[in-house]
Amino acid sequence: MKRLEKLTTTKLSAWVQLAKTQVERGQFADRIPRLALADPSWFAVHICCESGKNISFGDTACVFPLMSVIKTFSLLYLLEHLGAETIFGWVGVEPSDAPFNSLEQLISDRGHPRNPMINSGAITLADKLPGKDANQRTLLFCQWLNQLAGCKLRLDEEMLASVRLSRSTANKAIANYLAQAGHLENIETALDTYEQICCIAGQVEDLALLGKLLAYENSYLSSQNRRIVNAVMLTCGLYEASAEFAVRIGLPMKSGIGGGLVAIVPGEGAIACYSPTLDIVGNPVAGLVFVEALAQELQLSIFG
């Protein structure tokens, strides 16, 4: 029996209680007013195993925007549609030690986005999504994910309105610099697409189903693309804390400021958490505490 499948709700319950003792160490992302309407004590986990077994616990009915977690899947989508050579002509795979919305990092890299998991890389890739405008691009992307993963994602219009109301000046500056460097075809379309895909929302089960796409061989995704995405998640998915958690947890992971966190256990399945308070880097505090406890107990690290 695989390690994830041995889990019981009793075990999960103990780890969730441990994680929830840490929520006060975090705070809401203050830039988007609607994110602050969440209850800081909410915590949900859903685990999808290769066998088809599912294990859920906590506030699983909560719907939240994927925010930066979507960057993993826009990378996967474009790799499948356009291929690695094209994609990595636009963005690199180097980890960044600067915050995810750093203009200074982009300037020091002469306008070439360091990786697809920070905003400069994700905005560049948003500019390249198939579709004539931001609405169509978001719709096609969302449909592709739902069809492939069997999830029920949708665009959260209210969250999008909140994002637009307080549009990030850092993202606008990044987009302008990318355009000057010749990386964007249309600044407005790129930003609009980026904001829309970040507001694709679902429940923790939907996030686990997305993660499951990356966990093992399947007939509908290229094995090479899965490996690429997992590698970039491991080295860049938790921003400047990625290396620390590669050592402490040893799983490909991606977080978002909406409180979502997904961890891939190659060959076994995916672990998704939702917990809305964040650490100073922008990663969900309780989600990381939970995944670390689970990974250490079950010895899930990909490094053996």
Side-chain angles (χ1 to χ4, degrees):
M1 189 188 256
K2 301 242 171 118
R3 294 163 297 183
L4 278 183
E5 290 179 22
K6 294 177 188 164
L7 280 171
T8 62
T9 44
T10 315
K11 267 278 167 81
L12 279 191
S13 169
W15 288 323
V16 168
Q17 292 318 314
L18 167 71
K20 286 178 82 162
T21 63
Q22 303 300 308
V23 293
E24 286 164 13
R25 282 179 31 224
Q27 52 194 0
F28 293 119
D30 53 7
R31 192 181 62 74
I32 301 166
R34 196 167 175 80
L35 287 178
L37 300 180
D39 181 330
S41 71
W42 284 340
F43 189 94
V45 59
H46 189 98
I47 297 171
C48 284
C49 303
E50 186 181 13
S51 64
K53 180 179 178 178
N54 289 282
I55 310 155
S56 280
F57 192 86
D59 304 297
T60 52
C62 290
V63 174
F64 56 95
L66 295 185
M67 291 292 166
S68 284
V69 181
I70 204 69
K71 294 171 181 173
T72 302
F73 301 98
S74 58
L75 172 61
L76 179 66
Y77 181 59
L78 284 171
L79 284 169
E80 287 286 309
H81 282 77
L82 302 174
E85 197 176 331
T86 300
I87 303 310
F88 295 121
W90 294 324
V91 299
V93 292
E94 292 286 315
S96 167
D97 56 4
F100 57 79
N101 60 353
S102 171
L103 176 64
E104 290 74 15
Q105 177 84 79
L106 185 63
I107 292 169
S108 72
D109 293 335
R110 298 180 181 175
H112 188 69
R114 200 163 261 233
N115 68 68
M117 301 292 160
I118 54 176
N119 294 13
S120 57
I123 291 167
T124 300
L125 294 189
D127 187 57
K128 315 295 189 257
L129 293 186
K132 68 178 193 302
D133 58 24
N135 295 355
Q136 190 189 36
R137 290 173 183 193
T138 305
L139 181 67
L140 289 172
F141 178 37
C142 200
Q143 284 174 341
W144 184 81
L145 291 173
N146 284 338
Q147 197 175 352
L148 215 57
C151 49
K152 300 186 180 79
L153 301 169
R154 60 171 183 81
L155 178 62
D156 183 337
E157 300 278 4
E158 291 176 329
M159 188 61 68
L160 180 60
S162 187
V163 167
R164 285 173 170 165
L165 201 65
S166 55
R167 178 175 265 189
S168 162
T169 51
N171 286 348
K172 277 199 281 194
I174 285 168
N176 284 326
Y177 198 83
L178 287 167
Q180 285 168 27
H183 283 298
L184 297 188
E185 286 174 38
N186 184 311
I187 294 176
E188 199 45 52
T189 305
L191 278 175
D192 192 9
T193 305
Y194 175 70
E195 288 172 351
Q196 287 199 40
I197 65 172
C198 284
C199 291
I200 290 174
Q203 296 176 328
V204 71
E205 179 183 3
D206 297 309
L207 182 51
L209 287 167
L210 287 179
K212 199 176 169 186
L213 293 173
L214 296 167
Y216 37 80
E217 293 287 326
N218 52 59
S219 57
Y220 31 85
L221 289 173
S222 137
S223 299
Q224 184 198 11
N225 290 341
R226 281 183 33 257
R227 283 194 293 271
I228 289 170
V229 174
N230 279 323
V232 175
M233 285 172 83
L234 183 79
T235 56
C236 308
L238 300 177
Y239 313 121
E240 62 267 43
S242 300
E244 179 192 344
F245 285 103
V247 172
R248 281 167 57 177
I249 295 176
L251 295 174
M253 297 169 74
K254 185 71 194 88
S255 64
I257 63 168
L261 179 72
V262 64
I264 312 303
V265 187
E268 293 209 25
I271 304 158
C273 299
Y274 168 62
S275 171
T277 65
L278 312 173
D279 63 20
I280 53 167
V281 174
N283 296 318
V285 177
L288 282 172
V289 170
F290 174 82
V291 175
E292 185 171 359
L294 185 75
Q296 289 186 353
E297 176 79 14
L298 300 180
Q299 298 187 313
L300 295 178
S301 170
I302 60 171
F303 303 110

